[in-house]
């Protein structure tokens, strides 16, 4: 009887430990799920091992970027932290945010100028500036967007319920401690000739990110109007390449951009297509 009672006590203790472990696992699973993009984020906030292998392999060599796994994890954490600081959200994955940074770091020199077409809340721009600042004496951002709500002034962002506006972007840049003279905002549509001329006057650019209208005609318009503004040896980035959600992006890149003699495809990181501008004749 004593042995039986002792065994029952051990079973009870084991049951308590199992319940505690199960509770901790559920909590960890919930957190990991949110970081992977489940819930409001839509896109994952974790960087996979395959991504790190890519950047440490041939693609990293082509970019001339040597980065350790710890550095990538640092950038992963930086993405999560900056987004948490800002209002709104970043409409891409942590991998793609880091891919932009690493592609930009292929540029040599003391200064770097970036044109981002399609800004949303400005979180990606804040990440780009913050992550590049340790490597350049000056990082300049030119941000082009109509800042007219989420596909219309009367539409809030469907995931966060926040209003997409220039004021929101400016508040986020302030939260990220980015100096106002490091940023030029072009408020309007990329198809507007006045906006295009203003962008041209600010150029040329070491990096141009096409992340605006994801329709075939939208990507076509942005490439035809702005690709020439990439400096010789500079980088052209096209967001959401290979995404099932935006097949027109992939279609246009495969059909037109890859065959453009001005550019050489460096490769693809996550959903980020990276091209390098060939030296001018």
């Amino acid at each position: 009887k004593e042995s039986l009672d002792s065994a029952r006590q051990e079973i009870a203790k084991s049951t308590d430990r199992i319940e505690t472990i199960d509770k901790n696992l559920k909590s960890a699973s919930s957190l990991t799920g949110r970081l992977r993009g489940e819930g409001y984020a839509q896109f994952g906030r974790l960087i996979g091992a395959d991504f790190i292998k890519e950047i440490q392999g041939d693609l990293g060599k082509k970019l001339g970027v040597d980065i350790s796994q710890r550095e990538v994890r640092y950038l992963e954490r930086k993405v999560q932290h900056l987004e948490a600081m800002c209002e709104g959200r970043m409409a891409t994955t942590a991998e793609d945010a880091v891919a932009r940074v690493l592609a930009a770091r292929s540029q040599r020199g003391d200064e770097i100028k970036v044109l981002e077409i399609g800004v949303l809340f400005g979180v990606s721009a804040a990440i780009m500036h913050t992550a590049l600042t340790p490597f350049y004496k000056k990082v300049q951002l030119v941000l082009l967007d109509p800042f007219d709500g989420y596909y219309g002034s009367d539409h809030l962002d469907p995931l966060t319920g926040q209003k997409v506006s220039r004021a929101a972007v400016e508040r986020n840049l302030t939260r990220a401690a980015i100096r106002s003279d490091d940023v030029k905002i072009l408020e309007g549509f990329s198809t507007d000739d006045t906006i295009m001329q203003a962008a041209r006057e600010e150029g040329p650019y070491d990096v141009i990110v096409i992340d605006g209208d994801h329709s075939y005609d939208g990507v076509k318009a942005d490439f035809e109007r702005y690709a020439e503004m990439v400096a010789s040896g500079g980088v052209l980035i096209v967001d959401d390449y290979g995404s099932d959600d935006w097949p027109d992006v992939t279609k246009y890149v495969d059909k037109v951009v890859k065959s453009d003699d001005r550019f050489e495809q460096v490769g693809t990181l996550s959903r980020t297509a990276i091209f390098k501008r060939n030296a001018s004749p």
Side-chain angles (χ1 to χ4, degrees), residues 108-152:
R108 303 294 175 250
D110 293 333
E111 298 184 359
I112 186 169
K113 182 175 284 189
V114 180
L115 169 64
E116 184 176 82
I117 302 172
V119 177
L120 195 64
F121 290 101
V123 180
S124 294
I127 291 168
M128 178 87 81
H129 189 283
T130 302
L132 292 177
T133 295
F135 300 93
Y136 300 91
K137 290 183 178 179
K138 187 171 183 62
V139 179
Q140 294 179 278
L141 300 178
V142 178
L143 307 180
L144 194 166
D145 198 289
F147 302 110
D148 188 29
Y150 191 85
Y151 296 110

Side-chain angles (χ1 to χ4, degrees), residues 90-238:
M90 180 179 69
T92 191
T93 67
E95 291 185 345
D96 289 297
V98 172
R100 293 183 185 188
V101 170
L102 298 180
R105 276 178 52 180
S106 68
Q107 297 299 290
R108 303 294 175 250
D110 293 333
E111 298 184 359
I112 186 169
K113 182 175 284 189
V114 180
L115 169 64
E116 184 176 82
I117 302 172
V119 177
L120 195 64
F121 290 101
V123 180
S124 294
I127 291 168
M128 178 87 81
H129 189 283
T130 302
L132 292 177
T133 295
F135 300 93
Y136 300 91
K137 290 183 178 179
K138 187 171 183 62
V139 179
Q140 294 179 278
L141 300 178
V142 178
L143 307 180
L144 194 166
D145 198 289
F147 302 110
D148 188 29
Y150 191 85
Y151 296 110
S153 58
D154 58 338
H155 288 73
L156 299 176
D157 175 44
L159 296 185
T160 64
Q162 302 295 299
K163 184 178 181 180
V164 180
S165 66
R166 177 172 179 163
V169 172
E170 291 174 340
R171 287 193 294 270
N172 284 339
L173 296 176
T174 299
R175 287 186 177 100
I178 298 173
R179 292 160 45 108
S180 59
D181 58 356
D182 282 350
V183 182
K184 176 75 173 181
I185 293 180
L186 302 179
E187 186 172 357
F189 289 96
S190 60
T191 50
D192 187 314
D193 290 340
T194 303
I195 291 295
M196 184 180 73
Q197 181 59 32
R200 183 181 286 113
E201 291 172 0
E202 294 294 328
Y205 300 94
D206 302 291
V207 181
I208 289 183
V209 180
I210 294 180
D211 188 16
D213 185 345
H214 280 34
S215 69
Y216 188 91
D217 288 339
V219 180
K220 178 176 184 289
D222 286 343
F223 180 74
E224 290 180 349
R225 295 167 73 85
Y226 295 90
E228 189 60 33
M229 299 180 196
V230 179
S232 178
V235 171
L236 175 72
I237 293 171
V238 183

